[in-house]
Amino acid sequence: MESRYKTYIYVEQLGNYIGKEVTLRGWVYDRTEKGKLQFIKLRDGTGIVQCVLFKPNVAEDVFERAKSLVQEASFGIRGVVREDARAPGGVEVDIADVWIYHIPPEQYPITPKEHGIEFLMEHRHLWLRSQRQWAILRVRAAVVRAIREFFDANGFVLADSPILTPNACEGTSTLFETEYFDLGKAYLSQSGQLYAEASAMALGRVYTFGPTFRAERSKTRRHLTEFWMVEPEMAFFELDDTMDLAEDLVEHIVQTVLRQCQRELAVLGRDTSKLEKVRRPFYRLSYTEAVEYLQKRGVKLIKKNPDGSESQYDFPWGEDFGAPQEEAIMEQFDKPCIIHRYPAEVKAFYMKRDPSDPRVVLAMDMLAPEGGGEIIGGSQREDDYDRLLERIRAEHLPLDAFQWYLDLRKYGSVPHSGFGLGLERTVKWITGAEHIREVIPFPRMIYRIVP
RNA sequence: UCCGGCGUAGCUCAGUUGGUUAGAGCAUCUGACUGUUAAUCAGAGGGUCGCAGGUUCAAGUCCUGCCGCCGGAGCCA
């Protein structure tokens, strides 16, 4: 990074400074001492480099000062960059001088050794400094960058939706509620879609990208109560166009991460050959074909009885897929699969019926391989005023709150479609993280809001 | 909301059928070492066994309640 703020250089640039003297500032990642030698790993946000102090080569006070550098002390060094096969990363710095910004008065809680998840979550504000978290958050940033690049380069206009909303998109049971001055209740948005539809009627192709909130009492490794979603919405797009777009987007994201994040993926130990395969075309199955596959494979539907016991059924057409079914379907695939045309009863009110099969709606989900799960959900929207009105009434949704949404079908209604891509689920899949809590800096979950 | 599991040193854990003064590794502190990568070697300090109650001659261990945490299902991105 060359800029007028550049008063020193960063670890990631050191390859360009072999044989030259540099100044670095950062934190102690780790330090060991071996007689007349000290090895200090300096972490500056861009990477980690080993700095070496050899007692005979420096002033006495420099060597003594460096001995006070405990884990996560902040400090600066001046020294010469040298290639050395013995150093992690192949490059190290021979220290000539050391200065100190701050020495922690207490022991840093997170050691390079193993910790339990409860302890790490309580120290999330410090856990972020660990190398694995560093890598994940940089991949997250690259994914966001790739998403914006993709839409900006393809004629989309960023049109963000409000976060405070007066109504539910798909029902009120899972909404966070708050007071809105004298106007009654407001809710934190669980999707920007309805507003994106309005924006698309103004701007053609739009995307909204921001945090969304679900007060679902779910507690799994793929749920957050606050998560980020990008939602493109396109006037005149039909379902097949939308599936093509989703495919292009996901391919672009994964290939961009592969290009830009080799260091990070190496830190994470990610098998990049699996990501290399994420190229168009992806697999596609209709819901009906997927059900036939489950039946052929003998994958059962397990349902709870009122007395608490469980019953197994051959998977019936008409049931929505749960995580076990999605996993069974994805076992056969080494890249994402789009499942489309779901039964109308299990999908949202705003989805358009398939004219060629009234049992299903023009909906689609994209499932990621390697246990990545559902990363995209989308549909062609109902564009007929009367049919949409009928659906709103059938779901007992508050008609008042949807008047503006119905207006979109009153004034120049057009076929249109869109989808939502869950940022954290996508990053979880690409990084291979076991749990979604690791892929957002400060996860919000049902039983945790601190730090 | 439902099902299952865990809670012992700063951290990760062991602790037998209830039985003497509750252990290990790491971390910390002291010392040694010119190549450490989770260094090694020698020594030292460190405990409200989640909380409350109960059974018992005796409870980390058994019982009851509470609290905290974890995983899964459903719902979804």
Side-chain angles (χ1 to χ4, degrees):
Chain A
M1 189 203 308
E2 296 289 334
S3 84
R4 67 198 186 94
Y5 306 114
K6 180 172 108 31
T7 57
Y8 61 101
I9 66 163
Y10 289 91
V11 168
E12 66 181 352
Q13 304 169 282
L14 288 179
N16 305 325
Y17 289 85
I18 305 294
K20 299 200 173 115
E21 187 177 81
V22 298
T23 296
L24 296 172
R25 291 181 243 184
W27 296 262
V28 177
Y29 194 71
D30 192 19
R31 177 180 155 280
T32 58
E33 207 179 320
K34 198 174 188 313
K36 298 190 172 70
L37 270 173
Q38 289 186 57
F39 300 97
I40 306 161
K41 293 202 184 77
L42 178 143
R43 173 182 79 70
D44 75 349
T46 72
I48 297 173
V49 68
Q50 173 165 279
C51 304
V52 186
L53 258 180
F54 186 39
K55 195 170 185 180
N57 292 354
V58 295
E60 183 80 11
D61 62 311
V62 172
F63 197 83
E64 286 307 309
R65 208 180 304 139
K67 281 186 174 176
S68 66
L69 290 171
V70 294
Q71 194 187 356
E72 289 303 318
S74 47
F75 71 116
I77 60 128
R78 187 169 51 77
V80 176
V81 184
R82 185 165 47 72
E83 283 183 300
D84 192 316
R86 293 170 298 185
V91 172
E92 64 184 20
V93 181
D94 272 324
I95 297 178
D97 194 16
V98 168
W99 60 96
I100 285 164
Y101 294 103
H102 182 244
I103 301 292
E106 285 176 34
Q107 189 194 334
Y108 186 70
I110 300 175
T111 66
K113 287 282 185 155
E114 54 187 336
H115 297 283
I117 195 62
E118 182 178 359
F119 182 81
L120 289 170
M121 287 305 298
E122 280 165 8
H123 296 85
R124 181 61 176 169
H125 52 299
L126 302 177
W127 186 22
L128 295 176
R129 303 182 187 193
S130 303
Q131 211 177 358
R132 177 181 164 79
Q133 304 307 311
W134 169 89
I136 289 172
L137 293 181
R138 284 173 64 102
V139 171
R140 178 190 170 100
V143 169
V144 171
R145 216 183 304 132
I147 288 168
R148 292 196 180 283
E149 260 169 29
F150 177 86
F151 288 118
D152 293 345
N154 283 286
F156 284 73
V157 177
L158 176 67
D160 285 321
S161 298
I163 287 169
L164 288 166
T165 64
N167 62 291
C169 179
E170 303 171 34
T172 56
S173 62
T174 58
L175 285 167
F176 286 103
E177 197 178 276
T178 186
E179 296 294 326
Y180 197 82
F181 302 111
D182 303 326
L183 299 180
K185 304 279 188 223
Y187 304 92
L188 296 184
S189 173
Q190 53 181 191
S191 165
Q193 180 204 314
L194 269 46
Y195 295 95
E197 287 185 53
S199 299
M201 299 305 123
L203 296 156
R205 298 185 205 177
V206 302
Y207 68 106
T208 172
F209 196 0
T212 49
F213 307 86
R214 304 266 167 102
E216 295 161 0
R217 303 185 75 81
S218 49
K219 184 166 162 39
T220 78
R221 63 181 70 184
R222 56 186 189 283
H223 285 89
L224 293 165
T225 56
E226 177 181 322
F227 66 97
W228 283 63
M229 187 154 65
V230 61
E231 294 171 279
E233 191 72 31
M234 297 73 66
F236 302 105
F237 267 49
E238 299 185 353
L239 183 68
D240 288 348
D241 304 314
T242 305
M243 293 196 283
D244 291 344
L245 181 79
E247 212 171 65
D248 291 347
L249 170 65
V250 170
E251 180 189 61
H252 177 76
I253 291 169
V254 171
Q255 296 306 320
T256 300
V257 169
L258 276 170
R259 266 198 316 281
Q260 297 181 353
C261 300
Q262 282 298 318
R263 276 197 308 162
E264 290 80 359
L265 294 170
V267 166
L268 295 168
R270 186 69 168 92
D271 181 351
T272 51
S273 70
K274 300 223 165 108
L275 296 175
E276 302 280 0
K277 290 183 183 147
V278 181
R279 294 275 187 188
R280 285 179 304 159
F282 296 171
Y283 300 99
R284 290 187 192 184
L285 288 177
S286 70
Y287 168 85
T288 301
E289 289 167 333
V291 169
E292 283 164 7
Y293 176 79
L294 291 175
Q295 289 169 345
K296 203 172 68 192
R297 286 283 312 278
V299 177
K300 303 292 184 187
L301 177 71
I302 295 170
K303 276 202 152 182
K304 288 257 168 64
N305 299 317
D307 65 1
S309 65
E310 288 178 347
S311 299
Q312 289 197 348
Y313 304 90
D314 289 335
F315 197 90
W317 195 99
E319 280 287 330
D320 203 359
F321 300 140
Q325 286 79 35
E326 289 178 358
E327 273 166 38
I329 291 165
M330 289 310 291
E331 267 173 23
Q332 57 187 319
F333 297 131
D334 57 359
K335 53 184 169 179
C337 178
I338 295 174
I339 298 177
H340 54 87
R341 295 179 170 83
Y342 283 81
E345 296 78 50
V346 302
K347 287 293 180 183
F349 75 94
Y350 51 72
M351 294 181 178
K352 187 178 175 66
R353 293 270 171 167
D354 185 346
S356 64
D357 182 355
R359 296 181 305 163
V360 301
V361 287
L362 297 172
M364 64 99 171
D365 287 351
M366 187 190 289
L367 307 181
E370 300 179 78
E374 186 179 337
I375 58 172
I376 282 179
S379 67
Q380 184 168 339
R381 320 307 189 189
E382 181 55 72
D383 49 44
D384 180 82
Y385 186 97
D386 292 327
R387 244 178 273 161
L388 182 60
L389 180 61
E390 186 187 307
R391 293 287 293 132
I392 289 172
R393 287 191 169 136
E395 303 263 337
H396 305 295
L397 296 169
L399 195 53
D400 283 359
F402 286 96
Q403 281 305 334
W404 69 266
Y405 186 64
L406 282 160
D407 271 359
L408 305 178
R409 279 74 178 168
K410 198 194 266 178
Y411 303 108
S413 188
V414 300
H416 64 289
S417 307
F419 62 82
L421 175 135
L423 176 63
E424 287 78 11
R425 291 218 179 146
T426 304
V427 176
K428 173 179 179 286
W429 162 50
I430 292 174
T431 57
E434 283 295 305
H435 200 296
I436 201 164
R437 65 187 158 216
E438 277 194 282
V439 307
I440 185 168
F442 295 96
R444 301 287 93 132
M445 295 175 298
I446 176 167
Y447 294 123
R448 186 176 293 283
I449 197 170
V450 176

